Amino acid sequence: MTDPRVTPQEAWDVLANGNARFVEGQLLHPQQSAARRSELSGSQAPNAAFLGCSDSRVAAEILFDCGLGDLFVVRNIGQISNDNTTATMEFAVAELGVAVIVVLAHCSCGAVAAAINQSSAHPNEVTPAIRRELENIQPAVQQEWLSEHRETPYVDPEAIDADAVGRRHLGTTINSLMRSSRVISDAVAAGRLGIVGCQYQLEEGRVSPIVAVGRLSVELAPEALA
Ligand SMILES: [Zn+2]
């Protein structure tokens, strides 16, 4: 077990400040020099881990204005929690000593849209592997749909708030990560690890915190989960 070098608050504040620079267009591009590359050639000691969507518009290091050795990253369609992502986050916590995990949903997510489609009366055909991944998002689709519509279980893609589905799914992913990992849950309980679930607004570039777990103070966005 590697102890964290910073508090969850310190690790989060670095990311929040980096995103504020990205939103303002005042990027510093830190830690991207040849000297930094060479400094890291023997080892890494990132303070933050990132679980996000594979979407080409959601590039972790760019939107937090950080660089080499700063973020330990895993991405898949719709930032789904599964054995692979749990193991990756456990490695970040136990072996590398990260102090914060950011789980990042984003607006206009293709995986959320595909999961909504799969919950409609006439779903498109998808491969078995993609269907299995989307099944992780479908409970959030159903919850959001049934909160507003009780007349039919089949979702009308035009009548559901996809970004609200994304926020519900974000909460599910974080709960699943903690449920599936004693290492992660223990680190949160001990105050060594914080988990911040955020939704990324593509147009503004803003990372809006929706849910936070652990000993850190994060100002949540107005659309935060109730
Ligand atoms: Zn996505």
Side-chain angles (χ1 to χ4, degrees):
M1 182 69 90
T2 301
D3 286 330
R5 296 155 292 274
V6 296
T7 64
Q9 188 73 53
E10 287 164 342
W12 166 252
D13 288 346
V14 168
L15 297 180
N17 291 337
N19 180 247
R21 292 195 300 275
F22 178 67
V23 170
E24 298 300 322
Q26 309 282 341
L27 294 165
L28 296 178
H29 304 291
Q31 321 272 50
Q32 296 177 22
S33 65
R36 174 68 170 168
R37 193 174 68 222
S38 137
E39 176 194 330
L40 288 169
S41 61
S43 64
Q44 60 169 330
N47 293 324
F50 177 96
L51 165 56
C53 186
S54 296
D55 193 295
S56 60
R57 301 163 294 180
V58 187
E61 283 86 354
I62 295 177
L63 58 92
F64 287 114
D65 192 24
C66 55
L68 299 171
D70 288 335
L71 277 185
F72 196 75
V73 174
V74 63
R75 292 166 68 182
N76 59 34
I77 55 169
Q79 73 285 336
I80 288 158
S81 166
N82 56 24
D83 283 353
N84 176 280
T85 52
T86 297
T88 309
M89 292 297 107
E90 284 184 336
F91 189 88
V93 172
E95 304 298 326
L96 301 176
V98 307
V100 73
I101 293 175
V102 175
V103 182
L104 190 68
H106 68 99
C107 295
S108 307
C109 179
V112 168
I116 289 171
N117 175 277
Q118 288 302 302
S119 307
S120 68
H122 304 289
N124 295 335
E125 210 158 296
V126 292
T127 69
I130 291 176
R131 186 179 309 114
R132 279 195 299 278
E133 293 292 276
L134 296 179
E135 279 169 2
N136 289 282
I137 308 177
Q138 281 177 275
V141 176
Q142 286 293 339
Q143 284 167 19
E144 179 61 25
W145 178 251
L146 292 174
S147 73
E148 302 267 337
H149 303 85
R150 299 196 166 270
E151 65 280 8
T152 168
Y154 295 121
V155 174
D156 174 359
E158 301 295 322
I160 191 168
D161 181 343
D163 293 340
V165 171
R167 289 189 288 276
R168 285 182 188 268
H169 170 57
L170 179 65
T172 306
T173 298
I174 291 173
N175 289 340
S176 165
L177 199 55
M178 291 188 292
R179 209 169 48 240
S180 63
S181 173
R182 192 67 200 243
V183 162
I184 290 172
S185 295
D186 284 355
V188 171
R192 286 186 281 117
L193 177 70
I195 305 179
V196 186
C198 307
Q199 195 169 41
Y200 176 60
Q201 325 289 337
L202 291 171
E203 206 166 317
E204 288 183 81
R206 190 177 305 284
V207 169
S208 302
I210 302 296
V211 53
V213 183
R215 278 182 224 163
L216 76 180
S217 160
V218 175
E219 197 181 328
L220 299 181
E223 62 271 32
L225 302 171

